[in-house]
Amino acid sequence: MRSDQITKGPSRAPHRSLFKAMGYTSEELNRPLIGIAASYNEVIPGHIFLDKVIQAVKDGIYMAGGTPMLFHTIGVCDGIAMGHQGMKYSLITRELVADTVETMCMAYPFDGLVIIPNCDKVIPGMLMASARVNLPTIMVSGGPMLAGGDRNSCIDLSHVFEAAGAFEAGKITQEKLDWIENTACPGAGSCSGMFTANSMNCLSESIGISLPGNGTIPAVKGDRIALAKRSGMAILDLVKKDIKARDLMTMKNFRNALAVDMALGCSTNTALHLPAIANEAGIELTMALINEVSNKIPNITSLRPAGSFHMQDLDDAGGVQAVMAELLEAGLIDGSLMTVTGKSIKENLKNVKVKDRAVIREISNPYHKTGGLAALFGNIAPEGSIVKQSAVKDEMLKHTGPARVFNCEEDAIKAINGGKIVKGDVIVIRYEGPKGGPGMREMLMPTAAIVGAGLDKDVALITDGRFSGATQGSAIGHVSPEAALGGPIAAINEGDIIVIDIPAKTINVKLSDKVIEERLSKIKLPENKYGGCLGRYSRIVKSASTGAVLS
């Protein structure tokens, strides 16, 4: 056992003595030692109840004959960090979480690892660390929040952002805004649509590193606690069989994940996180591969923000496993791959059925014939950009309009709320990429303001920053190379004509290569004026097209 390094033999008496100072018994130290990486805290609704999940995992580990050892990581709620300087510190936490888990797993030679995240960057951060340390690993999340509102309407966090925009535009009253604010988020869990956290939780099932149900069982259900207990028990079986994280993180597993991503219509942030996780396993996932998979996989669900259904509806319809069953029957995923159940995907799906065809459609009758995401290339984004095409209005799939250029998110929000953006405009927000932001802020506030002002059928937004999973509309992010790296987006001037063609996977500005080069040669790129972890991140982060990994 790996833990023999600190528990066996006379020379390890000092190590055992320190464990016994914490109350561990000799019997416990002779069992497999299972590390539990958890992100419980009191500042994120998706994490506020993870103490209950942690206890259930511990119970499962004890029942199966192991000894659980808990440690914690940090976490940032993107919704609370949105729209101010705090958002610069969101994406960078992915690497901080990964470093924390790696450090603990190398300092303490655990025999197995259970990761307990919830919410946007904590999930990929823990999965990245899992690939690095390559222990027998299982992930169990806190699960999604229920939708809010009342019996006449189901609403979620994105409705609150959109309501704020509608209020600024004079379209709703203060009373209506207050009601939406007070009812949209009814309790614990990751926000209730197919936003980034729930996207990553669902994709963990498709990779095979979580038990069935991890992506969709609501946080408040007893089934979530039972899942945590079963996960605690399952890790001992993985240790016994020596099934490690990278055994479940192969190119085939990631292709399955991309297929499920397209079928579900997941967040654009998965185009950052899946490549970053794969990178830790020595695998390259490219923007071109996203299009290759998207062109083959139909979008068979319509979840918020693209549609009207929420995570609880997907769970009731059969969850991620039912979506995978549809894909497997059509030969669109590889069913032979092993999972943390100890069985193959095909074996897991043997008796799985779709329970609601309004939520999960047949492959032959999809919501969209192609997948939820598309990568766009052109003279604005030579290395690519990303859009959630399933959340774009049909009339905006192709759009040509004048650029309205802003060098930060705040200036764009002021213009939108001030009525300075008109039908046909293409908003350009730059110097918000991984290096230039720094931290690649999410742009949910400007996109929600566009929706709230009733302009989502008429206005597009492109940025070298990124978008929340709750974003809808013609919102194109991850433009690479970013402005701070001298990317062509830095050469766009006010009034330049931008041509977006999502079906053709192109995004261009009507400028010659010579004009773009001349303009770029005259631009003085901003200096990194930040200290601390943000400054360090800015100096070593790579392009969004790589998953914004660190060099």
Side-chain angles (χ1 to χ4, degrees):
M1 301 293 286
R2 189 168 179 264
S3 60
D4 289 353
Q5 299 174 56
I6 54 173
T7 60
K8 296 295 190 295
S11 66
R12 295 309 186 231
H15 305 66
R16 294 191 296 272
S17 181
L18 289 168
F19 278 115
K20 289 176 179 179
M22 294 179 276
Y24 289 101
T25 66
S26 295
E27 290 79 7
E28 287 175 301
L29 296 178
N30 283 326
R31 299 173 180 172
L33 303 187
I34 307 299
I36 300 176
S39 52
Y40 167 71
N41 60 58
E42 297 181 350
V43 293
I44 306 177
H47 297 214
I48 190 69
F49 72 113
L50 286 185
D51 55 334
K52 308 298 189 299
V53 177
I54 291 166
Q55 186 58 55
V57 168
K58 285 183 174 181
D59 291 344
I61 292 170
Y62 272 124
M63 284 190 287
T67 298
M69 293 184 171
L70 172 68
F71 62 92
H72 288 278
T73 68
I74 62 170
V76 168
C77 174
D78 279 18
I80 296 173
M82 194 75 65
H84 59 90
Q85 291 299 303
M87 181 49 71
K88 291 181 182 291
Y89 286 85
S90 173
L91 182 59
I92 74 170
T93 63
R94 187 185 71 181
E95 271 61 34
L96 295 174
V97 167
D99 289 349
T100 299
V101 176
E102 175 196 356
T103 298
M104 292 298 289
C105 290
M106 298 310 292
Y108 294 82
F110 300 122
D111 299 305
L113 177 66
V114 180
I115 52 176
I116 308 178
N118 222 19
C119 300
D120 295 11
K121 311 307 167 298
V122 184
I123 301 165
M126 287 194 181
L127 288 171
M128 288 165 67
S130 299
R132 288 182 195 174
V133 301
N134 198 29
L135 295 174
T137 303
I138 191 167
M139 172 181 152
V140 54
S141 76
M145 185 186 292
L146 294 175
D150 57 25
R151 63 182 179 179
N152 297 315
S153 62
C154 283
I155 61 175
D156 53 60
L157 179 66
S158 62
H159 288 100
V160 190
F161 279 96
E162 290 160 14
F167 178 79
E168 293 286 350
K171 294 180 178 294
I172 64 171
T173 65
Q174 180 70 55
E175 182 181 14
K176 180 67 171 179
L177 177 60
D178 290 344
W179 179 83
I180 294 172
E181 173 187 332
N182 291 329
T183 62
C185 299
S190 50
C191 298
S192 55
M194 188 52 77
F195 310 146
T196 304
N198 292 326
S199 295
M200 293 307 302
N201 281 333
C202 288
L203 296 185
S204 71
E205 281 191 54
S206 62
I207 291 171
I209 203 162
S210 292
L211 293 179
N214 181 68
T216 58
I217 296 172
V220 297
K221 280 194 172 183
D223 285 348
R224 174 60 57 177
I225 299 301
L227 179 73
K229 289 179 182 177
R230 290 197 299 273
S231 297
M233 297 173 72
I235 189 61
L236 272 299
D237 192 47
L238 294 175
V239 170
K240 182 179 179 180
K241 295 178 179 178
D242 197 31
I243 299 174
K244 296 184 173 72
R246 289 193 196 177
D247 296 329
L248 307 174
M249 291 183 178
T250 68
M251 176 57 90
K252 290 181 178 180
N253 292 90
F254 283 110
R255 288 190 73 100
N256 274 1
L258 283 173
V260 173
D261 190 331
M262 301 308 157
L264 287 172
C266 290
S267 165
T268 52
N269 282 314
T270 62
L272 281 177
H273 300 324
L274 283 178
I277 298 164
N279 178 68
E280 299 291 353
I283 296 167
E284 182 181 12
L285 296 186
T286 65
M287 288 276 198
L289 181 60
I290 289 174
N291 280 346
E292 178 189 329
V293 176
S294 182
N295 288 337
K296 297 176 182 177
I297 307 296
N299 177 215
I300 60 174
T301 68
S302 188
L303 301 158
R304 286 284 300 160
S308 59
F309 296 112
H310 288 88
M311 295 305 295
Q312 65 213 59
D313 303 311
L314 179 60
D315 189 59
D316 290 341
V320 176
Q321 298 296 299
V323 172
M324 292 178 70
E326 289 293 300
L327 295 173
L328 180 65
E329 186 175 353
L332 297 174
I333 60 172
D334 187 339
S336 68
L337 305 180
M338 181 61 62
T339 72
V340 291
T341 65
K343 299 178 180 178
S344 69
I345 290 171
K346 184 176 181 179
E347 290 171 321
N348 288 342
L349 299 177
K350 185 176 181 180
N351 298 311
V352 173
K353 302 291 183 183
V354 175
K355 301 174 184 177
D356 188 336
R357 281 298 181 186
V359 179
I360 303 173
R361 289 189 175 181
E362 296 93 340
I363 296 292
S364 60
N365 180 38
Y367 281 99
H368 302 278
K369 292 182 179 179
T370 55
L373 300 183
L376 310 185
F377 297 84
N379 68 356
I380 293 176
E383 295 177 4
S385 58
I386 198 77
V387 63
K388 190 170 185 174
Q389 61 182 348
S390 61
V392 178
K393 304 290 185 184
D394 288 345
E395 50 267 60
M396 288 298 291
L397 290 172
K398 295 183 179 181
H399 181 75
T400 300
R404 303 298 309 280
V405 182
F406 305 93
N407 288 337
C408 68
E409 177 190 13
E410 288 82 359
D411 290 348
I413 293 172
K414 288 178 184 177
I416 298 165
N417 289 337
K420 297 181 179 179
I421 301 300
V422 299
K423 291 183 178 181
D425 284 348
V426 179
I427 299 169
V428 178
I429 305 177
R430 61 194 181 191
Y431 297 104
E432 290 284 8
K435 182 176 290 292
M440 202 179 186
R441 290 192 288 178
E442 287 187 345
M443 302 290 164
L444 179 56
M445 290 194 73
T447 56
I450 291 168
V451 174
L455 292 171
D456 54 314
K457 294 182 180 179
D458 305 287
V459 170
L461 190 157
I462 69 174
T463 179
D464 53 8
R466 61 194 177 89
F467 294 108
S468 164
T471 292
Q472 60 177 304
S474 184
I476 300 161
H478 307 193
V479 170
S480 301
E482 62 176 287
L485 288 173
I489 191 173
I492 298 173
N493 287 345
E494 188 85 3
D496 288 343
I497 301 302
I498 292 176
V499 181
I500 299 167
D501 190 334
I502 295 175
K505 309 294 193 296
T506 59
I507 179 170
N508 291 287
V509 59
K510 287 189 173 182
L511 297 173
S512 68
D513 292 344
K514 182 179 180 180
V515 169
I516 292 174
E517 289 174 7
E518 288 177 350
R519 289 186 184 179
L520 289 176
S521 69
K522 298 175 182 177
I523 293 172
K524 183 179 180 180
L525 297 179
E527 296 178 3
N528 178 7
K529 298 179 180 180
Y530 291 87
C533 62
L534 200 60
R536 182 170 61 251
Y537 180 87
S538 179
R539 288 191 295 272
I540 62 177
V541 69
K542 292 185 177 180
S543 170
S545 61
T546 70
V549 299
L550 302 184
S551 57

